[in-house]
Amino acid sequence: RVARPSISSLKSAVSGEMNIKWGKNAKATGYQIQYSRKSSFSGKKTVTISKKNTAAKTIAKLAKGKKFYVRIRTYKTVSGKKYYSAWSAKKTVTIKQ
C-alpha cells in the first residue's frame, strides 16, 4: 500500500491558473490530481503525473474568480496493475481574475 500524500501548497498566482505542490513519495510510481467546482468532486477532472520525482503541477485554462476543490493521491504500478493510496484531504483555491 502506498502512503497518502498531502498538498503542501495550493494557490492561484496567475489569472486562470492554479499551482499545486505536494511532498514526494519515493515508493510511488506517480500521482493523480483531481479538481472540481463541487466539494463532492462530481464533474471532476483528473490529471495523471507519471513521474515520481515530480512534486508540483500548474493547471491552466480554469474559470477565473471561481472556487475549486483539489485532492491528490499516489499510485504504484506492480506487474502492470495500479494500486492507489487514499485521497489527500481536499483543499480549496479561488482562481485569480
Side-chain angles (χ1 to χ4, degrees), residues 44-59:
K44 69 193 174 292
K45 292 198 177 178
T46 305
V47 177
T48 301
I49 296 158
S50 57
K51 294 182 178 161
K52 67 178 179 181
N53 290 326
T54 301
K57 176 72 176 168
T58 298
I59 298 173

Side-chain angles (χ1 to χ4, degrees), residues 32-87:
Q32 271 192 337
I33 298 168
Q34 275 189 350
Y35 60 99
S36 176
R37 297 271 316 278
K38 298 180 180 161
S39 64
S40 65
F41 285 89
S42 60
K44 69 193 174 292
K45 292 198 177 178
T46 305
V47 177
T48 301
I49 296 158
S50 57
K51 294 182 178 161
K52 67 178 179 181
N53 290 326
T54 301
K57 176 72 176 168
T58 298
I59 298 173
K61 298 180 183 173
L62 298 170
K64 298 172 186 174
K66 301 295 181 184
K67 184 179 188 176
F68 282 84
Y69 296 87
V70 183
R71 63 186 180 181
I72 186 170
R73 68 180 176 180
T74 56
Y75 70 88
K76 184 169 182 70
T77 305
V78 179
S79 303
K81 182 167 172 43
K82 285 184 180 175
Y83 296 90
Y84 295 95
S85 72
W87 288 106

Side-chain angles (χ1 to χ4, degrees), residues 14-30:
V14 177
S15 178
E17 292 184 3
M18 70 175 156
N19 301 306
I20 308 156
K21 292 182 182 175
W22 60 90
K24 281 192 247 182
N25 182 332
K27 294 179 181 176
T29 304

